[in-house]
Amino acid sequence: MKISPIHLIRSAFDPIGTSVLLTALFGFSAAVVLIILAARDWKLALWTILSFSIVIIIFAMWNSNQTLRLVIRHSGTGASSWRSICAAVLSNGAGAFK
């Protein structure tokens, strides 16, 4: 029986809660305020904030791509849950990302 990778991802992850979103928003806001206070120049602060934001977006896209690739690779092996896929990936060590 072959399990769809999208179905597996949707069933394994719960929706993000409000408290998690508020915590992330507070953390991002605090980082922005600290960067502005440390820079003392709006152009430097803007460039720094944009640079950090771009790096965070690139990292998030790369991480989701790697996760989806692993799920697709192990979905045809009869793995029935996210835990069994993670166990298979962890047993392969760092070679699972190649």
Side-chain angles (χ1 to χ4, degrees):
M1 176 174 162
K2 192 167 185 172
I3 299 172
S4 168
I6 300 300
H7 176 72
L8 190 63
I9 290 172
R10 285 184 182 163
S11 65
F13 293 109
D14 294 329
I16 297 175
T18 306
S19 62
V20 173
L21 290 176
L22 289 176
T23 303
L25 182 64
F26 177 75
F28 184 74
S29 300
V32 167
V33 168
L34 288 174
I35 289 171
I36 290 172
L37 289 175
R40 295 186 183 159
D41 178 25
W42 69 272
K43 289 181 184 178
L44 177 62
L46 182 66
W47 276 109
T48 306
I49 292 168
L50 285 175
S51 300
F52 276 117
S53 299
I54 290 170
V55 168
I56 288 170
I57 290 169
I58 290 171
F59 178 74
M61 289 171 42
W62 178 81
N63 193 22
S64 63
N65 183 27
Q66 293 294 327
T67 303
L68 187 59
R69 185 182 304 166
L70 292 173
V71 169
I72 289 171
R73 183 184 312 154
H74 291 286
S75 64
T77 62
S80 58
S81 70
W82 182 254
R83 288 181 183 160
S84 60
I85 291 173
C86 287
V89 170
L90 290 175
S91 68
N92 289 338
F97 288 104
K98 293 181 181 178

